[in-house]
Amino acid sequence: MSDEPVEVVAMGKKSRRPDHILALKAIKKIKRSPFIVADIEAALHDDVHVPCAVGFLVVKPGEDLASKSEYYIETYFSEDNDFSISDFKKRSERMMLDFIERLAAVVSDEKEIRTVYFHNFSRYDGIIVTRAFTSQIGKYSFQTVMRKHKMYELKVYRGNEKKKLLFRIRDSYLLLPAALNNLAQDLCPKFGSKGTIPYEKLRLEYLPEIGQQLLAYLKQDIRLLGGVMLKAQEIYWNLYKIDIVDTITLSSLALSIFRMHYYDPKSWPIHIPTRNQERFIRRGYYGGHADVYKPYG
């Protein structure tokens, strides 16, 4: 008998999946994509947050948003229908339907726009928007990308067939994980700061009284988000020729930059373990102490 180790023959078909991460080629995209920024405000009614104001702004690369009038921001207010619809929840539903219809019209006219951003869509705003779409099943269909109770993306299609994408809604917070006011101070200070609203008055009985103040607050939030996203898009494009509209999260953006500009798969490949290999490695994962001891005396 020979003492040489016996070579193990692989069983089954060879997987088509690569065994290591591949590098990305430079994107041939010659310009940045336009997008839409939006925001929602809700009022407390019967211990439930019901949307009472919503708006959006179309943002195109190269535009000077600071010089744009607030009239470029389209807003909808539930109490504008208080004479024709007596029930507040019905007014809210009508407002959200008008908002959705207008978004669909804008992206249909503007062929290059397919992405809508809300700041904190993956949690709060996403719940409200998805609820609005569920009341329009048949007219619109949608598909969500969920992970760990977070909504990463909501794809909207017209009709029941999911063939042609109408638009997709994403969370700008997943790309820029910071408070909107802090982002605005760092990236577009000329837009001013986030306004204030008496949240204790965000109830049905106070809405007619604070309507104008609420819409002004909503417009400023939308304006700030537009300025922040436009500046961030410009920075990443100038440095790496990557459009943030093409990624969903900050981690996927960082990985794309690394694979495109810094990764050398020939010299230093990053291997992708098989399922069995991953399970074997994970069995060696154990918790550890992270204590810091500072002797004194």
Side-chain angles (χ1 to χ4, degrees):
M1 294 181 65
S2 174
D3 293 333
E4 293 295 323
V6 178
E7 182 180 354
V8 179
V9 179
M11 303 296 290
K13 295 181 180 179
K14 186 177 180 180
S15 174
R16 294 182 179 179
R17 194 183 72 171
D19 60 357
H20 64 277
I21 295 176
L22 304 177
L24 288 180
K25 295 181 179 179
I27 299 174
K28 295 181 180 179
K29 198 171 182 178
I30 60 174
K31 62 179 182 178
R32 294 172 282 159
S33 299
F35 53 88
I36 293 174
V37 290
D39 193 22
I40 291 179
E41 296 298 333
L44 196 62
H45 179 60
D46 294 337
D47 294 326
V48 176
H49 287 272
V50 180
C52 60
V54 62
F56 72 92
L57 171 66
V58 175
V59 181
K60 296 182 179 180
E63 286 186 333
D64 183 11
L65 287 186
S67 64
K68 274 196 167 186
S69 166
E70 65 174 19
Y71 296 108
Y72 283 90
I73 302 174
E74 295 192 29
T75 58
Y76 301 84
F77 185 43
S78 63
E79 301 314 284
D80 288 341
N81 297 315
D82 61 344
F83 294 106
S84 57
I85 305 175
S86 58
D87 183 69
F88 172 56
K89 289 187 177 180
K90 295 290 184 183
R91 294 199 297 272
S92 174
E93 291 174 4
R94 179 72 251 179
M95 178 197 72
M96 291 302 297
L97 176 59
D98 291 342
F99 168 70
I100 291 170
E101 288 288 328
R102 181 59 182 151
L103 268 185
V106 168
V107 298
S108 295
D109 292 340
E110 301 278 354
K111 301 298 183 182
E112 295 180 331
I113 299 179
R114 286 292 178 268
T115 308
V116 182
Y117 288 105
F118 285 80
H119 207 59
N120 198 26
F121 178 79
S122 60
R123 294 187 181 273
Y124 182 76
D125 294 339
I127 296 171
I128 296 176
V129 174
T130 306
R131 190 190 306 158
F133 275 109
T134 55
S135 67
Q136 299 299 316
I137 292 179
K139 192 169 188 177
Y140 298 99
S141 57
F142 60 91
Q143 184 178 16
T144 60
V145 177
M146 299 283 296
R147 187 183 181 191
K148 294 182 179 179
H149 307 293
K150 277 187 177 182
M151 188 182 301
Y152 282 70
E153 185 177 61
L154 177 69
K155 292 182 177 179
V156 180
Y157 306 84
R158 194 182 292 279
N160 290 321
E161 296 185 7
K162 297 176 181 178
K163 292 182 179 179
K164 187 175 181 181
L165 178 69
L166 193 57
F167 58 87
R168 53 183 172 249
I169 307 177
R170 292 176 177 171
D171 188 354
S172 55
Y173 189 87
L174 296 178
L175 276 170
L176 302 170
L180 181 58
N181 193 48
N182 295 340
L183 290 170
Q185 290 177 3
D186 292 337
L187 297 177
C188 52
K190 62 182 178 181
F191 282 71
S193 60
K194 189 177 170 71
T196 58
I197 191 75
Y199 280 100
E200 68 277 3
K201 287 195 172 184
L202 277 179
R203 295 178 175 272
L204 174 58
E205 57 269 28
Y206 295 114
L207 288 183
E209 174 187 337
I210 66 168
Q212 293 303 315
Q213 183 182 0
L214 180 63
L215 290 177
Y217 175 80
L218 177 72
K219 287 180 179 180
Q220 178 63 1
D221 273 6
I222 294 172
R223 191 165 175 263
L224 291 179
L225 182 56
V228 163
M229 293 299 292
L230 188 61
K231 185 62 178 179
Q233 184 189 45
E234 178 187 339
I235 291 172
Y236 283 106
W237 180 262
N238 291 338
L239 289 176
Y240 305 109
K241 283 296 181 285
I242 289 181
D243 193 346
I244 61 174
V245 175
D246 297 328
T247 60
I248 298 179
T249 65
L250 182 61
S251 54
S252 65
L253 175 62
L255 183 59
S256 296
I257 293 172
F258 172 72
R259 292 173 64 190
M260 188 179 296
H261 296 282
Y262 304 105
Y263 179 47
D264 182 2
K266 293 183 178 180
S267 302
W268 305 99
I270 300 176
H271 292 278
I272 303 174
T274 63
R275 184 176 297 180
N276 287 338
Q277 289 171 338
E278 183 184 17
R279 286 177 178 172
F280 177 79
I281 294 170
R282 286 187 181 277
R283 283 162 61 185
Y285 286 1
Y286 294 93
H289 290 286
D291 302 336
V292 176
Y293 297 94
K294 295 183 178 181
Y296 67 95

